[in-house]
Amino acid sequence: MKNKFLAVLFASVLAVTTLAGCGSSSAPASGTSDSKSSETKTETTTETTTDSASASTGKQTDGKNLPTLTTEPLEILLWDIATDDPGKSTQEAAVQRFMADYPNIKVTQVHQQNDNYKQQLVVAMSSGQCPDMYMHWGGGPMAEYYKSGHAIDITDMYAKYDHPEFIDAAIAQSSYDGKLLAIPFGGLSGCDIYYNKTIFAEQGIEVPETIDELEAACEKLKAAGYIPFSLANASKWTGSMYYMYLVARHSGNAEFDAAYTQENGGSFNSPAFIYAAEKIQDWVRKGYFPDGVNSLTADDNQDRALMYDGSAAMMLHGSWQSSGMKNDNEEWYTENIGVFRFPEDTEAKAAGVPQNVEIGTAIGNGFSFNCFKEDGSIDQEKLDACYVLATQYYNDDTYNQMQVAVGAIPSIKGYGADTVDDPNDKIVANVFFSASNVQLWYDQYLPASVTEVHKNCMTELFGLEKTPEEIGAEEDAAMQKAIAEQ
């Protein structure tokens, strides 16, 4: 069974690698969003140890109901995508605090490039080089990691030992088939439209509340010489944000849920998907996106750069952009950037379709554990150490305070909009917590093989290479194949 699922996973990776070798171009923002495909791999490895003499006299885990960790030398290989600050410093600090308390345990922390992370992870699994502890985004890929034997069921550990009081949605997104497979640590991530308040004021544009008003704003911005939306779609998942929201506004969750199961007429060619694809291609033809949108990379922040130089007025993106822009230039960010939720579909609303489905994640990221001995049995000593690191150091007060300081909201009960100072982050949080449902990013929710097809479809969609119907048929075929292989 394990070999079967590895074969399915590896087949999708080979397809992606073949495309990359033929000259595909891509790369996204390194934050908490999804993986993308890229020709090159960039990583930074942090191998830090702490001498026993420098260890604190008491551990921050003292007095807690946790597994007793080994005092023998132990090594843990950890993969994440924290290539940039503030995430890089925050996550490295968590590892440092753990090793200060447990100086016999060496954690090798590898910061993988976000863009091709999923592919690198599956290659590592297929070649027997899977890290002991690795981050992911939950959803369909997490379920496949479990089926392939590379994510340990930690349901019993979680019930037995101390852990943060995560919100229910975070535990749900970290679970599959009633089994807890990951420990959340990245916090909540919403998706909204960042806009240049100065440009809007200059042009007399009010924040749009409907899609019709959004299109009117785009026309006015175009006439004034601005690019309405900054988008770097070489990363593919960035364009998917528009697709997801237009589907959600036109049908709530109903049509995506049906397409996912392919039951009762469910299809990626249902009315909401056709509406979304037609709308996007209409916007492309009208010039609402940058020229060469499919060649711009989010990993190099080329979308953000168009906001910085005043070329573009809006950017639909994940809430991690708040801290990214603030980190680049806080004064400019504070003076110029506002945020609003994706506008409503007036006709769908009149027909009773809920308009408060939001796109994002309740966990941001999660850690799963691949702690096995050579004979295939669970390495309990290593698993215990990984559990303590993930629950007690990536989720301790210090980590959470560092998260809040940069506008992130931990997916732990007690945190919310009142814990952040940034006015944009407050809006994002309020939108998130008032949502009727939070739809996890498609490229994290869908099975890995379907994810790659979906992302390639976003290239075809924004490149006007295929019709909405052809794109829907591609996604249907991939979903049907994945269901059959399960």
Side-chain angles (χ1 to χ4, degrees), residues 97-113:
R97 289 193 303 279
F98 173 79
M99 290 195 296
D101 280 352
Y102 300 95
N104 60 301
I105 302 177
K106 173 184 176 181
V107 180
T108 300
Q109 187 174 15
V110 180
H111 304 305
Q112 295 279 10
Q113 189 72 15

Side-chain angles (χ1 to χ4, degrees), residues 62-121:
D62 286 349
K64 294 187 176 181
N65 176 30
L66 294 166
T68 300
L69 302 192
T70 180
T71 56
E72 296 298 316
L74 180 68
E75 293 189 10
I76 293 172
L77 176 60
L78 181 157
W79 279 16
D80 60 37
I81 57 165
T83 56
D84 295 324
D85 281 330
K88 185 172 183 286
S89 296
T90 302
Q91 294 187 39
E92 288 181 355
V95 171
Q96 292 288 346
R97 289 193 303 279
F98 173 79
M99 290 195 296
D101 280 352
Y102 300 95
N104 60 301
I105 302 177
K106 173 184 176 181
V107 180
T108 300
Q109 187 174 15
V110 180
H111 304 305
Q112 295 279 10
Q113 189 72 15
N114 187 8
D115 217 35
N116 61 347
Y117 177 77
K118 273 187 185 175
Q119 288 71 46
Q120 292 293 336
L121 184 58

Side-chain angles (χ1 to χ4, degrees), residues 268-290:
F268 287 99
N269 258 326
S270 65
F273 289 100
I274 297 299
Y275 165 83
E278 288 180 343
K279 184 68 72 176
I280 287 171
Q281 293 196 328
D282 180 51
W283 289 357
V284 171
R285 294 187 181 96
K286 288 179 177 177
Y288 290 0
F289 301 104

